[in-house]
Amino acid sequence: MANNEELFKKIISHAKEYGFVFPSSEIYDGMSAVYDYGQYGVELKNNIRECWWKAMVQYHENIVGLDAAIFMHPTVWKASGHVDAFNDPMIDNKDSKKRYRADVLVEDYLAKLEEKVEKEVDKAAGRFGEAFNEEQYRNTSPKVLEYNGKIKDIKARFYTALERGDLADVKALIEELGIVCPLSGSRNWTEVRQFNLMFSTQLGSVSGEANSVYLRPETAQGIFVNFLNVQKSGRMKIPFGIAQTGKAFRNEIVARQFIFRMREFEQMEMQFFVRPGEEMKWYEYWKSERMRWHHSLGIPAEKYRFHDHEKLAHYANAAADIEFEFAIGFKELEGIHSRTDFDLGNHQQYSGKKLQYFDPELNESYVPYVVETSIGLDRTFLAILSHAYTEERLEDGSERVVMRIPPMLAPIKAAVLPLVKKDGLPEKAREIMDSLMFDYLCQYDEKDAIGRRYRRQDAIGTPYCITVDHQTLTDNTVTIRERDSMKQDRISIEEIADIISKRLKTNYKPLPAM
Ligand code: GAP
């Protein structure tokens, strides 16, 4: 298998060649960090969204959905803190003229130190063999202790500087660590400056401050401003949640890495409203529940890990990411945040409208606390794609690329293939196609040799190929070929739907709420 960077490039080119993801406006040379989803991409995306929606809304009696508008009153973003605090610290290299996120430069430096620690541990494990005591080694090796000490010191200084808004010290740290521009190799840096990530546009025909609106940078605020509408009209009792999926927009300055970081992307968010003081227990519940959902997709558990935040966003009193091991390394896939009463409290203050809940059990009113789960749909798509892409050498020496997409998420569930284009086989295959198409998205294909047709379906991740041959005409049986094992079985036509449906079932069931 290729190294990670090569693998990532292969995934991107496969995604384009097989109709998953295209660069936006490609005939005009594309746009940086904007992508379009092709015929198979849109199916995979819809399936992921539906899988999440069912897990959140259908499987939890106390969670309901919402679809709020992208445009919101401009004061929403003042109240949410995004106008004042939704910034990234940026630094430019004067030689390459390239702009970087200052925090990413420092975090990359820290990641390199962490890698050095792991290398030391691996080397020692090789040297000591069976007798190796990893914990003892980590606590006593002078080199490991030196690296860890350095990591601790850098983090302490860096996060304090960010929290205080001391951008001069962030620059000083970058210089002291000797961080160079990856392009020019020089240390010729500008000052660090804050850039707001929100896009603004004009409402109506008159331009001016009063008509400026923002494209939402997160879907969450649509949920907060509708909190009472939903609670009252749905007679919801705390604890309860509101879920929403939809587009969000951020003017990412450093927008690289394919669909990992885009300027227009989709979020799947759920805000869970709880009694003040009970937020930490719900935060733990949702952390574990969201991880269980990821594991249920059929991707190995070791591909995921938690990362607890040391520097908290302006609205949170606890936060963790679920990270996934993409081809570009472990990166954030989902955030779970305990947002306190920050959002509802601020909207209450800025709007002058009470956003309180009367708790009949406590006989008192309060502004609820919120635990949020927020996952990027495009990042989940990339996680699925990264895991699925597999190059295989077969027994006959040939090679195939197979997308091992979890069957319930696969764009096409089955391909129906007449062995030859004559003798009544296409007609029989069409009958099967007609019987499946109302329940499953299937594809009919009669072009090229059967082997090439199998490869085409492997490349888009179709779990089953159903081949109609001459025997089908006499005994109503077909061969069904399973994508991953390539095993072929002879079954009767009546069994097809049942076999497909069994593979598409989710094994996710939420644990009972506390
Ligand atoms: N409401 C909280 C919130 O928006 P976030 O950590 O900024 O939190 C949540 O975003 C998720 O949205 C991330 O974990 C990631 O999956 C996705 N996301 C954020 N920015 C993104 C971008 N520029 N491109 C693609 N996905 C993004």
Side-chain angles (χ1 to χ4, degrees), residues 218 250 252 260 262 267 269 332-333 339 372 374 376:
E218 62 171 13
R250 295 183 189 177
E252 299 283 1
F260 181 81
M262 295 197 287
Q267 290 186 316
E269 300 201 297
E332 174 186 343
L333 174 60
R339 293 181 76 126
E372 165 186 75
S374 174

Side-chain angles (χ1 to χ4, degrees), residues 124-169:
R127 265 200 322 271
F128 291 107
E130 294 260 301
F132 184 55
N133 181 334
E134 184 178 328
E135 197 186 338
Q136 190 186 9
Y137 185 79
R138 283 185 188 273
N139 290 330
T140 53
S141 153
K143 270 201 177 156
V144 169
L145 291 177
E146 186 194 323
Y147 288 138
N148 279 339
K150 206 167 168 193
I151 291 169
K152 200 166 151 232
D153 291 348
I154 296 171
K155 278 188 178 171
R157 175 161 164 204
F158 179 53
Y159 293 131
T160 312
L162 284 183
E163 255 146 41
R164 287 203 191 122
D166 187 352
L167 299 181
D169 199 42

Side-chain angles (χ1 to χ4, degrees), residues 154-428:
I154 296 171
K155 278 188 178 171
R157 175 161 164 204
F158 179 53
Y159 293 131
T160 312
L162 284 183
E163 255 146 41
R164 287 203 191 122
D166 187 352
L167 299 181
D169 199 42
V170 175
K171 184 190 178 191
L173 182 63
I174 287 173
E175 285 175 337
E176 281 167 39
L177 296 176
I179 295 176
V180 297
C181 163
L183 264 187
S184 67
S186 90
R187 299 174 189 181
N188 198 4
W189 296 111
T190 61
E191 300 305 309
V192 178
R193 284 169 295 167
Q194 293 284 18
F195 280 82
N196 193 284
L197 298 184
M198 283 196 295
F199 285 106
S200 67
T201 186
Q202 301 297 322
L203 207 61
S205 58
V206 190
S207 65
E209 183 89 335
N211 297 308
S212 278
V213 288
Y214 295 105
L215 297 184
R216 66 181 178 198
E218 62 171 13
T219 60
Q221 298 304 323
I223 296 179
F224 292 124
V225 299
N226 279 295
F227 157 72
L228 265 194
N229 285 337
V230 174
Q231 189 270 319
K232 291 219 157 95
S233 59
R235 293 180 297 122
M236 306 300 292
K237 278 210 172 89
I238 269 179
F240 74 92
I242 305 178
Q244 166 164 239
T245 70
K247 288 276 173 120
F249 304 82
R250 295 183 189 177
N251 194 4
E252 299 283 1
I253 314 288
V254 186
R256 280 176 287 146
Q257 299 165 327
F258 190 40
I259 56 172
F260 181 81
R261 194 178 303 287
M262 295 197 287
R263 297 204 162 102
E264 175 183 340
F265 58 99
E266 196 163 334
Q267 290 186 316
M268 307 189 286
E269 300 201 297
M270 192 278 299
Q271 311 296 324
F272 201 70
F273 300 91
V274 304
R275 275 184 191 158
E278 293 192 354
E279 72 274 16
M280 289 321 286
K281 117 181 157 186
W282 286 109
Y283 170 69
E284 293 303 333
Y285 171 82
W286 281 110
K287 252 178 92 172
S288 110
E289 208 48 40
R290 291 304 304 143
M291 190 60 110
R292 289 182 64 250
W293 179 79
H294 285 286
H295 290 171
S296 77
L297 297 180
I299 298 178
E302 60 270 20
K303 287 274 182 183
Y304 299 90
R305 70 181 187 195
F306 282 116
H307 166 76
D308 292 315
H309 284 206
E310 289 177 50
K311 180 182 181 286
L312 294 171
H314 58 273
Y315 48 73
N317 70 354
D321 293 337
I322 293 177
E323 294 187 336
F324 180 79
E325 190 176 17
F326 294 93
I328 44 174
F330 267 103
K331 303 254 177 219
E332 174 186 343
L333 174 60
E334 169 157 13
I336 296 106
H337 312 122
S338 169
R339 293 181 76 126
T340 66
D341 59 353
F342 176 88
D343 302 270
L344 288 182
N346 273 11
H347 286 308
Q348 180 167 269
Q349 191 191 330
Y350 277 78
S351 66
K353 311 269 164 36
K354 265 198 172 170
L355 291 179
Q356 297 192 356
Y357 170 80
F358 176 74
D359 192 324
E361 281 171 35
L362 299 180
N363 200 26
E364 66 180 61
S365 294
Y366 51 78
V367 176
Y369 271 43
V370 171
V371 174
E372 165 186 75
T373 70
S374 174
I375 175 170
L377 176 49
D378 313 85
R379 279 196 196 170
T380 311
F381 184 104
L382 183 58
I384 302 286
L385 227 54
S386 310
H387 161 73
Y389 182 89
T390 317
E391 293 171 2
E392 276 182 1
R393 185 171 287 280
L394 305 180
E395 276 174 12
D396 64 2
S398 64
E399 281 182 8
R400 73 163 182 162
V401 171
V402 54
M403 295 299 277
R404 294 177 185 272
I405 298 173
M408 67 180 167
L409 302 178
I412 305 289
K413 303 300 186 214
V416 184
L417 317 169
L419 189 62
V420 289
K421 248 194 282 181
K422 55 184 185 182
D423 305 336
L425 300 191
E427 289 75 8
K428 191 73 190 169

